[in-house]
Amino acid sequence: MAELTTLESLLEMGFERNRAEKAVGNTGNQGIEQAMDWLMEHENDPDIDEPYVPPVGNVLGGEADSQSSTEQPTLADTAEGLEGEDGNYCLDDNGAKRPMTEEEKREQVKRLEELMRVKQAERRERERAEEVEREKLRRRQGQELQQIRQKLQDDDMKKLADQRRKEKMEDKMARQRVKEKIARDREERAQKFGGGGSMATSTQPAETSQGPPPTKKEYDESRIQVRLLDGSTITTVFKAQEPLAAVRVYVQMNGNTPEGQDFTLLSPYPRHVYTELDMEKPLKELGLVPSAVLVVTKK
C-alpha cells in the first residue's frame, strides 16, 4: 500500500504549509488522523497561520531528555528530509522501497480526503448535538425564569388584595367606633335629661325609643394608591367628584412611566379594567371612595 508522509499528505490535501507543519509538530508526527484532528480543533486559533517555530530542546529533563530529543525527528526533518527520502516511495511485497506511481499517490490522497470528510462530518454532528443541548438548556432556563416572574406577579397581586382587605377592615372598624360613640352619647343624654321619664318612654315603640337611624357618612375625598409598572407605588388624595382621568394625569406627571408609553388603569379585586368612558366618570360613581388601589398596565 502506498504511504505518503504526514506532512506531504496534508499538503496534497490542500492545507497550507504553516498549518500542516504545526499539525505534524504538535502531534509528534504520529499519523495523518491525529494531525487532521489537531487542524480541525485549532483552525480558528488566531496564530494558526503564523510561521511554525519548532520547540527548543527540553532543558528541564537533563541528559535523558536531551538524548530523547535528539533521537526524535524534528519538523524540519519531516518537511525536508522525509519528504525527499520517503515521500515518493512505498514498500513492495518484499519490504523493499520503490518509487510511488502517480496513480498510487492519487489513490492515497483520495483515501485521506475521504478520511477528512468523515472527520468533518463527525465534527458537524457533534456540534449539532451540542447546539441542541444548548437550546434545550436555554428553553429550560427560560421556562424557569417565566415561572419566577409569574410567582412574583402573583405575590404582588396577593399583597394588593391583602392591603385592600386591611383597608376595608380598618374602614369597617372606624364606622363601628362611630356607631358605638353615637350610642354612648345617646345613652348619656337619656340618663342626664330623661330622669323618671325613661319608664314612660319605655312603653313607646322601639323605633321611637331608639331615635332616628344614624345617617350614612358622605365622603368627599378618596385616597388612591397606584402601583406602577416597576412595582413601586404612589399615593395621593383626590376629591370624590374628580374624574378618573385626574388619576391618570397624576400618574403621567409623577410616576416613572416612559414618555409616550400608553397605559391604562385597573382594579385588582374585583378585577376591572377601566375604559376611556370610565375616565370621565367621578371617582365616587366608580366606587373608588373613600379609598382604592389601582394598578398601571401597558395597553
Side-chain angles (χ1 to χ4, degrees):
M1 181 63 184
E3 295 290 343
L4 294 175
T5 64
T6 302
L7 178 62
E8 186 179 19
S9 299
L10 294 174
L11 295 176
E12 288 284 345
M13 294 172 67
F15 289 103
E16 296 182 2
R17 177 170 290 274
N18 281 343
R19 297 191 177 196
E21 290 179 351
K22 286 184 178 182
V24 174
N26 285 284
T27 58
N29 196 21
Q30 294 180 2
I32 186 65
E33 293 191 24
Q34 289 82 353
M36 286 192 297
D37 288 340
W38 187 92
L39 282 170
M40 285 188 290
E41 292 176 1
H42 297 273
E43 64 180 354
N44 295 322
D45 290 357
D47 60 345
I48 188 65
D49 292 317
E50 295 181 3
Y52 178 71
V53 179
V56 181
N58 190 351
V59 298
L60 299 178
E63 295 181 359
D65 291 339
S66 299
Q67 183 178 358
S68 175
S69 64
T70 58
E71 292 175 356
Q72 296 179 354
T74 63
L75 187 59
D77 295 334
T78 304
E80 299 176 3
L82 292 180
E83 186 174 331
E85 181 179 349
D86 300 324
N88 298 320
Y89 292 87
C90 64
L91 300 179
D92 57 18
D93 296 336
N94 298 323
K97 289 183 179 181
R98 66 174 177 80
M100 293 176 59
T101 65
E102 291 299 324
E103 183 178 355
E104 288 174 334
K105 286 184 179 181
R106 287 194 296 271
E107 184 66 25
Q108 182 73 354
V109 170
K110 288 181 180 179
R111 185 174 65 85
L112 295 176
E113 288 177 347
E114 179 62 25
L115 180 61
M116 187 68 175
R117 284 193 291 270
V118 171
K119 292 287 185 181
Q120 290 174 340
E122 291 176 352
R123 181 184 179 187
R124 287 193 295 269
E125 184 63 27
R126 184 171 62 253
E127 289 176 348
R128 281 195 295 268
E130 292 174 353
E131 180 63 25
V132 169
E133 290 300 322
R134 286 194 295 269
E135 179 64 17
K136 289 181 179 179
L137 178 60
R138 185 188 66 80
R139 291 184 179 182
R140 185 165 59 251
Q141 291 175 342
Q143 291 174 354
E144 293 174 353
L145 181 59
Q146 182 64 27
Q147 291 174 357
I148 292 174
R149 289 176 177 171
Q150 184 63 40
K151 185 178 183 303
L152 292 176
Q153 184 177 1
D154 293 342
D155 291 344
D156 288 343
M157 298 300 287
K158 184 178 178 181
K159 289 179 182 178
L160 285 173
D162 292 341
Q163 184 175 0
R164 184 69 182 271
R165 284 194 295 269
K166 182 179 178 181
E167 291 176 350
K168 286 185 176 180
M169 181 60 68
E170 291 176 351
D171 188 56
K172 181 179 180 180
M173 293 177 63
R175 289 196 298 269
Q176 183 64 29
R177 287 193 295 269
V178 171
K179 290 180 181 179
E180 292 175 354
K181 186 177 185 304
I182 293 174
R184 288 196 301 269
D185 291 344
R186 185 183 297 116
E187 184 178 355
E188 290 176 358
R189 287 197 300 270
Q191 292 176 354
K192 183 175 181 181
F193 300 106
S198 60
M199 295 293 292
T201 57
S202 61
T203 60
Q204 298 295 327
E207 291 80 5
T208 57
S209 63
Q210 292 180 356
T215 58
K216 184 177 179 181
K217 183 176 180 180
E218 292 292 334
Y219 294 94
D220 59 353
E221 291 183 341
S222 176
R223 179 177 178 272
I224 303 293
Q225 182 185 78
V226 182
R227 181 170 292 272
L228 304 176
L229 293 174
D230 62 353
S232 61
T233 59
I234 55 176
T235 305
T236 190
V237 176
F238 296 89
K239 293 296 183 181
Q241 295 301 324
E242 286 190 81
L244 183 60
V247 180
R248 183 165 63 179
V249 172
Y250 178 81
V251 172
Q252 290 173 337
M253 298 181 62
N254 298 275
N256 53 8
T257 305
E259 186 175 355
Q261 173 70 58
D262 197 6
F263 64 90
T264 187
L265 300 172
L266 65 85
S267 294
Y269 293 98
R271 182 178 176 83
H272 177 73
V273 179
Y274 294 101
T275 64
E276 292 298 329
L277 294 177
D278 292 330
M279 293 297 162
E280 303 302 324
K281 297 179 181 180
L283 298 177
K284 184 175 182 180
E285 181 180 340
L286 295 173
L288 301 178
V289 177
S291 64
V293 176
L294 300 178
V295 179
V296 175
T297 59
K298 295 180 181 179
K299 261 192 176 180

